[in-house]
Amino acid sequence: MLVMLRHSPHGSSWLREGLDVALVGAALGRKVHVLFLGDGVQALIAGQTSGPLGQKGTHPTLDMLEMYDIDTLLVDGESLAQRGLTIDDLQLPVSLVDAASLPRVLAEHSPIYSF
Amino acid sequence: MLVMLRHSPHGSSWLREGLDVALVGAALGRKVHVLFLGDGVQALIAGQTSGPLGQKGTHPTLDMLEMYDIDTLLVDGESLAQRGLTIDDLQLPVSLVDAASLPRVLAEHSPIYSF
Amino acid sequence: MKYALLVQGAPYSQQASHSALRFASALIARGHTLGTVFFYHDGVYNASRLATPPQDEPNLVEAWRRLHQEQGTSLLVCIAAALRRGIIDEREARRHGKEGHAVESPFELTGLGQLIDVHTTHDRLVTFSP
Amino acid sequence: MKYALLVQGAPYSQQASHSALRFASALIARGHTLGTVFFYHDGVYNASRLATPPQDEPNLVEAWRRLHQEQGTSLLVCIAAALRRGIIDEREARRHGKEGHAVESPFELTGLGQLIDVHTTHDRLVTFSP
Amino acid sequence: MLLHILNRSPASSRVPFDALRAMGDNDRLLLLEDGVYGAVAPLAETFASIRGRIFVLKEDLVSRGLEHRQAETMELVDMQGFVALTEQATQTVSWY
Amino acid sequence: MLLHILNRSPASSRVPFDALRAMGDNDRLLLLEDGVYGAVAPLAETFASIRGRIFVLKEDLVSRGLEHRQAETMELVDMQGFVALTEQATQTVSWY
């Protein structure tokens, strides 16, 4: 299954709730790939902290993905570039997806969840 | 007072709830002006209907504004143009606000509510 | 075909619930089955029995309930998303020492695993979000 | 100065409530008063006494309540926005024949007029929205 | 073939552009809710590259006062037409 | 002088552009929540016209891992600095 993450951390619960779907899928034995797209690429920015009121943020969850055997982290290159980011800015090793490959990533996965 | 309406009808309750603030303000004797901006200009498109499940929409409320002595309806011209609309497409007579006047509209009103 | 819907919008704030309910009627009219509606994110607010909409507006909670009665559709509410939002049933209310509850049958609090399983038991999943 | 806040985001879905609570602490630290918090749109969900967040996350309903206790801040909830969203108090529950309620003191269901009046009784209104 | 479902207008959101980039050559796009504002010129030009594969939910167009204003590249479907599109697609992807 | 408060990023939303158009010559803009993504190049160029009048909420920048990445045109304020901005402005306008 593919979990598309399109929302940024801290601003809303979309990212956290999308990650929960990925973790539960993996816990149930599904092969889970994650695609970061749009504002979702900002989930990967290194150096995030918890929120000022103690909101946990999502960066600790990202570090847990590997423990759940979720090791295919795909990142849309154009979304990164639009935001002035490169893979060196990210907290985890990822696979860049270029413009030509993006539709193929979606075509090759089923089911697809979009958060 | 100025009520800025920046959301479209039917998609969410922002527009309805913003209009309610305008109506209640007028009912309490405040002089209320309304500014349609961004997606909010779409509130004025003529020929709207209720939703397929019977959702009331906001077009009947717009027709009630005059009864509440809310007769200054300001519309951001650039927001209209971006959406391919002209004042002939609208259900009510409005005053167009051009780019130079927009900041002045905000400066001249207090309080300002933004929905 | 057997359909499932994922509903993620609050009922009186966004159009997602309306669209999902209309889609539900249409798929049934075309001879399909609606097996499951899964409520996640702010969609869990659709399950509140305390919702008191004005008489002249659609009663969405009632519409979901009718789907269950007429079609046997399961109305599943993600428990983790629901608890923090105050959408608790009698059992959770007791467990957390709260008086009163917001969810009752035919809505069921359940784990996210049920959303994952939807794909093995249904032919299509369509998402309605704010 | 005397401040009022308008909060329009659901508490566990959007950052608006967090920002508003932090702003509240900061303005008090600077010697101002927080007279009123008005909850509108999905902000009314902040008033649900049934919210049951995980222990390791901020309890926002509790944080609002503490503001009232420590500062005397009025916690006003728009009644029209609240009723359709299932945020009802005991009186509304009785009136609509519902058992159970989601709002209790120090949150108060009130009309939109109170939001309009804020400007005559407060020096600043700051809006936190999703 | 995937059916992409979009409820955002290109006048206020960048999500439509992400959806377009993710679409395969045979994929289809359905505009619904506030997405239908994108069916009208000049916003409709956003979707020029998927001519023949773009659909608009009629009920949502009508309730917004946009009936008969959609660009000619847009094919109208009613709710049952939307269901038919989901039958034909292997799966759906929602953009919001 | 008005204080405009923006929680949307120009990468995903058009709202920042509406806010800029509505700003007077002396008005100020505060970026907070997801708005702080706009404080980093190249998105920060969106706000080139209001140099000297644009502020960024530090806590939100830090929690998103963007500390020290903001453009030099951006002035950082903490929550108390945000309150100070609301003291100085006659009123605030929120863009979301």
Side-chain angles (χ1 to χ4, degrees), chain C residues 10 12-13 42 45 48-54 57 83-86 88 96 98-102, chain D residues 10 12-13 42 45 48-54 57 83-86 88 96 98-102:
Chain C
Y12 293 99
S13 313
D42 282 350
Y45 289 125
S48 175
R49 49 179 277 284
L50 301 176
T52 313
E57 287 182 37
L83 256 63
R84 64 186 69 206
R85 290 177 174 88
I88 59 176
H96 293 95
K98 305 242 178 199
E99 215 180 288
H101 63 283
Chain D
Y12 293 99
S13 313
D42 282 351
Y45 289 124
S48 175
R49 49 179 278 282
L50 300 176
T52 312
E57 287 182 37
L83 257 62
R84 63 186 70 206
R85 289 176 174 89
I88 59 176
H96 292 95
K98 306 241 178 199
E99 215 180 287
H101 62 284

Side-chain angles (χ1 to χ4, degrees), chain C residues 13-95:
Chain C
S13 313
Q14 305 285 342
Q15 203 177 356
S17 307
H18 297 96
S19 299
L21 280 164
R22 288 155 52 206
F23 188 84
S25 302
L27 73 87
I28 291 159
R30 280 182 68 86
H32 300 299
T33 325
L34 181 57
T36 301
V37 181
F38 194 94
F39 299 94
Y40 196 40
H41 190 75
D42 282 350
V44 302
Y45 289 125
N46 281 277
S48 175
R49 49 179 277 284
L50 301 176
T52 313
Q55 303 262 339
D56 59 348
E57 287 182 37
N59 188 320
L60 299 172
V61 181
E62 199 42 53
W64 292 121
R65 208 177 276 141
R66 219 163 32 236
L67 260 183
H68 170 81
Q69 281 159 4
E70 295 172 5
Q71 308 290 330
T73 304
S74 300
L75 304 176
L76 306 181
V77 183
C78 172
I79 188 166
L83 256 63
R84 64 186 69 206
R85 290 177 174 88
I87 303 298
I88 59 176
D89 61 9
E90 272 193 293
R91 190 170 138 213
E92 292 298 326
R94 226 176 301 123
R95 178 183 311 194

Side-chain angles (χ1 to χ4, degrees), chain C residues 1 3 8 15-19 22-23 26-27 29-30 32 119 123-130, chain E residues 5 7-8 32-34 57 59-60 64 79-80 82-84 86-92 94 96:
Chain C
M1 285 201 274
Y3 277 75
Q8 305 198 102
Q15 203 177 356
S17 307
H18 297 96
S19 299
R22 288 155 52 206
F23 188 84
L27 73 87
R30 280 182 68 86
H32 300 299
H119 289 284
D123 303 299
R124 291 289 183 279
L125 173 71
V126 183
T127 299
F128 294 90
S129 284
Chain E
I5 301 170
N7 70 357
R8 288 281 188 280
L32 88 178
E33 301 176 353
D34 286 347
L57 190 60
E59 289 96 321
D60 288 344
R64 284 165 178 78
M79 250 314 162
Q80 293 208 26
F82 177 9
V83 176
T86 65
E87 296 163 8
Q88 293 153 22
T90 52
Q91 58 176 328
T92 64
S94 292
Y96 53 92

